[in-house]
C-alpha cells in the first residue's frame, strides 16, 4: 500500500506565506505526475498545480505567480510554496500522486488533506 501525508497547513494573514509538503511512503517503485488540489466549502475540488516526473509544471490561473510546486524525487515528496495568500485561497489542500508499485501496477493516490485558512 501507499500513503500520502500532507503537512504545513495552518492559519495565516492575507499576504502571508505557507509551504505545504506531501510525502509518499509504502510500496513505491516510481512516481509519475504529482499535484496539489484544493476544495473550499461548497465548491468542487480543483487543480491548483501539477508537476511531472521531469519537473515540468503548470498552474491554475488563480495562483500563477504566487504559488510554486516542486518535488524531491529522492524523498518521494512534493511541495507547494504559497505566497501572497488571499482569503479566497482558504480551502483544504490535497496532494495527489501517480504511483507504480513493486507489482508494476499504476494507481492514483490521495492524501488526507490539510487545512489552509487565510484571514483578511
Amino acid at each position: 500500500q501507499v500513503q500520502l501525508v500532507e503537512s504545513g497547513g495552518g492559519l495565516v494573514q492575507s499576504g502571508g506565506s505557507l509551504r505545504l509538503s506531501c510525502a509518499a511512503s509504502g510500496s513505491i517503485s516510481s512516481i509519475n505526475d504529482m499535484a496539489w488540489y484544493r476544495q473550499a466549502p461548497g465548491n468542487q475540488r480543483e487543480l491548483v498545480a501539477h508537476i511531472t516526473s521531469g519537473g515540468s509544471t503548470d498552474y491554475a490561473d488563480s495562483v500563477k505567480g504566487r504559488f510554486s510546486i516542486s518535488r524531491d524525487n529522492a524523498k518521494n515528496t512534493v511541495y507547494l510554496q504559497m505566497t501572497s495568500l488571499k482569503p479566497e485561497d482558504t480551502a483544504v489542500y490535497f496532494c495527489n500522486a501517480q504511483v507504480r508499485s513493486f507489482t508494476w501496477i499504476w494507481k492514483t493516490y490521495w492524501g488526507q488533506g490539510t487545512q489552509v485558512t487565510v484571514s483578511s
Side-chain angles (χ1 to χ4, degrees), residues 1-119:
Q1 266 293 359
V2 174
Q3 299 81 38
L4 301 183
V5 178
E6 299 110 333
S7 61
L11 174 63
V12 64
Q13 289 188 332
S14 181
S17 299
L18 281 175
R19 188 191 194 210
L20 306 182
S21 300
C22 172
S25 63
S27 179
I28 299 171
S29 173
S30 64
I31 300 177
N32 195 6
D33 293 0
M34 304 184 83
W36 286 96
Y37 287 73
R38 67 186 180 187
Q39 186 168 19
N43 290 357
Q44 291 187 338
R45 191 171 296 189
E46 62 174 357
L47 177 65
V48 175
H50 167 265
I51 185 167
T52 68
S53 58
S56 296
T57 60
D58 59 78
Y59 299 90
D61 287 343
S62 59
V63 306
K64 281 180 181 176
R66 300 188 298 122
F67 289 12
S68 178
I69 188 171
S70 61
R71 63 191 287 171
D72 184 333
N73 291 330
K75 296 181 179 180
N76 290 334
T77 299
V78 63
Y79 305 96
L80 185 68
Q81 179 68 49
M82 305 185 292
T83 63
S84 301
L85 282 161
K86 305 175 181 180
E88 51 263 45
D89 294 317
T90 295
V92 178
Y93 284 70
F94 299 89
C95 67
N96 165 291
Q98 297 175 357
V99 178
R100 184 176 66 187
S101 69
F102 291 117
T103 57
W104 294 80
I105 296 173
W106 285 100
K107 186 176 178 181
T108 298
Y109 291 90
W110 290 89
Q112 81 287 352
T114 185
Q115 176 71 45
V116 171
T117 303
V118 184
S119 63

